[in-house]
Amino acid sequence: MGHGDRSGDDEAARRARLRLVAGGAAGEAASQPEGDVELLRTFLDGGEWAFGELFRLHAPVVHAIVRRYASGPDEAHDLVQRAFLRALEAARRDLGRRRDIAFRPWLIRIAVNLAKNHARDAARRQKASLAAAVDLQSSAVAPSPDGAIDRERRARRMRLAVLQLPRRQREVVTLRLDADLSFAEIGEAIGITENNAKVHFHHAARRLRELLAGSEEEP
Amino acid sequence: MKPCREYQLLLLDRAAGVLPPEAAARLAEHLETCLACRAESKALGEALSLAALAPVSEEERQSLDGIAGETLRAWRKGQPRRALWRGVGAGIAIAAAAAAAVVVMPVLRHGRNPSARPELVSVRPEPVEGRAPAWQEPDLDAVWEASGAVVNGTSDDDSDETPIFADYYDPDSI
């Protein structure tokens, strides 16, 4: 066996090991931090395939976070791309100084910040862009008659209400409802305790429930 | 009709999907007999399910896969620019060294002839301890809050936070 074959085998073994550490096909949702760091190091050392793994593992959660604030799929994709580029840049800077970084919470935080800044800018530019975002979310639901129209109207009101929640409540609710993150993961990403994240969710749920009750009482 | 006080937290945990099995069983038992808590549980569930986005469509999922390549290309595109800036930095350093040499060489030459030595003003730099601080990326939360879009945004207390879209319109008027 020549040297080239052996290095090819080594590379394949390394990829397989990284996939196992990162969760592989079975662990789509949550990779392990050490797997992320190894993938990052591999990517930054020139192994571009490792980026594909990182993207496959984390793009769905980033997309889930940003799509509520985007006015269309292209805008959502642009935000996903920007979140990854910013996280990679930060990882490159920090991996030189530190041995370990928590890539996923970092990426989630970047996505949350990008999304909220995007929403703020859009609201300043043109308030109707938010309506466009909510319309887009509505159009993703198959049209259906009568009672479904009323439900869609109420859903639209609730989705707008989510965007009107105070900052922490909005972050926690969207990370829970949209990205399906645990409260521990939410807390880690936005820098609060798990219990605090849960309390914010409770406040938000009560507020949304009161709003729904209020809107149903309206003529 | 208000829900029972002692079951309110359990109702919220159930709505959040984090109710442990034991507590879930206790709540289920209570819900069988309490109309008010049953109504509250239903209302909370409905509000959250209405607030949730529609699931990601297959089309969206597929197009998301496509942007991995685009992101990688964008990353690669950023690399030469960084290399260019490193090159510019090196160029500036070389130019600064050359300028320093131009200034220092005549001084050194005069230094060989003490009678012609001009009186030097102090050019000794202040001692620098350690390395210059590295540039820190600004905290986006701080920038966000400083923008004025959120009042008291750093507070974890919800009661006095102002939402982004506080002055937003009536959804029915859209």
Side-chain angles (χ1 to χ4, degrees):
Chain A
M1 189 184 281
H3 178 71
D5 292 341
R6 198 163 48 240
S7 65
D9 288 349
D10 288 350
E11 180 63 13
R14 183 174 157 79
R15 285 182 189 219
R17 187 166 55 82
L18 279 174
R19 285 206 182 94
L20 276 176
V21 172
E28 297 283 347
S31 63
Q32 293 174 10
E34 61 269 31
D36 286 345
V37 171
E38 253 203 273
L39 285 168
L40 274 169
R41 286 194 192 284
T42 304
F43 170 63
L44 294 173
D45 288 344
E48 290 191 347
W49 63 269
F51 174 75
E53 283 294 302
L54 279 170
F55 194 88
R56 190 180 62 80
L57 284 165
H58 303 300
V61 78
V62 175
H63 183 244
I65 291 166
V66 302
R67 67 194 272 264
R68 188 180 282 271
Y69 299 89
S71 65
D74 289 346
E75 208 169 271
H77 290 171
D78 181 55
L79 286 168
V80 171
Q81 190 178 88
R82 282 164 56 197
F84 267 91
L85 289 174
R86 197 176 282 198
L88 288 176
E89 192 55 60
R92 188 168 70 159
R93 198 178 52 228
D94 269 41
L95 275 176
R97 293 197 294 247
R98 286 194 270 167
R99 248 187 113 244
D100 221 353
I101 55 169
F103 181 69
R104 186 177 163 91
W106 216 3
L107 185 62
I108 289 170
R109 189 174 175 80
I110 287 171
V112 167
N113 285 333
L114 271 176
K116 75 185 180 188
N117 289 349
H118 173 80
R120 180 197 57 194
D121 294 346
R124 279 182 184 163
R125 272 198 312 271
Q126 188 187 14
K127 287 190 171 185
S129 62
L130 186 62
V134 175
D135 279 342
L136 179 94
Q137 291 152 15
S138 307
S139 69
V141 181
S144 36
D146 303 336
I149 293 171
D150 180 53
R151 182 179 164 82
E152 185 46 43
R153 188 182 58 80
R154 291 187 303 150
R156 208 154 165 267
R157 190 185 285 267
M158 283 296 106
R159 288 194 292 261
L160 272 170
V162 169
L163 295 175
Q164 291 169 333
L165 288 170
R167 180 172 66 102
R168 281 291 187 222
Q169 289 183 24
R170 188 181 63 250
E171 287 173 356
V172 171
V173 162
T174 53
L175 290 174
R176 181 76 189 147
L177 291 184
D178 301 345
D180 200 25
L181 298 184
S182 70
F183 285 112
E185 206 170 2
I186 292 170
E188 191 182 5
I190 65 174
I192 58 177
T193 63
E194 177 181 354
N195 200 43
N196 207 345
K198 211 161 87 171
V199 169
H200 280 298
F201 188 90
H202 286 173
H203 283 306
R206 262 203 215 110
R207 205 177 273 220
L208 292 172
R209 177 240 177 284
E210 280 162 16
L211 193 82
L212 183 65
S215 72
E216 280 168 358
E217 281 166 16
E218 282 173 16
Chain B
M1 210 162 28
K2 285 197 167 181
C4 305
R5 200 179 170 82
E6 65 269 33
Y7 284 96
Q8 275 182 356
L9 266 183
L10 294 188
L11 288 167
L12 286 162
D13 275 354
R14 180 180 150 121
V18 292
L19 194 62
E22 202 177 295
R26 188 153 61 90
L27 179 62
E29 200 177 314
H30 173 72
L31 289 178
E32 277 177 22
T33 57
C34 181
L35 261 177
C37 286
R38 218 159 47 218
E40 178 73 2
S41 177
K42 192 180 164 207
L44 280 169
E46 192 176 13
L48 291 175
S49 94
L50 287 170
L53 298 183
V56 178
S57 67
E58 192 50 41
E59 197 182 331
E60 259 186 292
R61 212 185 307 274
Q62 280 173 4
S63 62
L64 181 64
D65 291 342
I67 64 166
E70 281 175 36
T71 309
L72 196 52
R73 276 191 292 279
W75 170 260
R76 279 198 218 112
K77 215 167 140 186
Q79 298 307 298
R81 204 172 49 206
R82 276 185 285 275
L84 177 69
W85 281 112
R86 276 198 297 273
V88 168
I92 290 170
I94 290 167
V102 167
V103 172
V104 169
M105 282 306 284
V107 174
L108 289 177
R109 213 176 299 134
H110 285 301
R112 291 197 191 109
N113 178 5
S115 62
R117 181 183 290 176
E119 193 177 334
L120 294 176
V121 292
S122 172
V123 291
R124 191 179 302 155
E126 291 294 317
V128 177
E129 286 182 19
R131 297 179 57 191
W135 182 80
Q136 296 287 319
E137 188 168 357
D139 177 10
L140 289 174
D141 279 340
V143 174
W144 167 249
E145 279 142 19
S147 73
V150 173
V151 178
N152 297 329
T154 50
S155 167
D156 272 348
D157 174 12
D158 333 301
S159 56
D160 57 355
E161 282 186 1
T162 304
I164 312 180
F165 306 109
D167 59 344
Y168 209 57
Y169 46 75
D170 171 10
D172 289 334
S173 68
I174 301 162

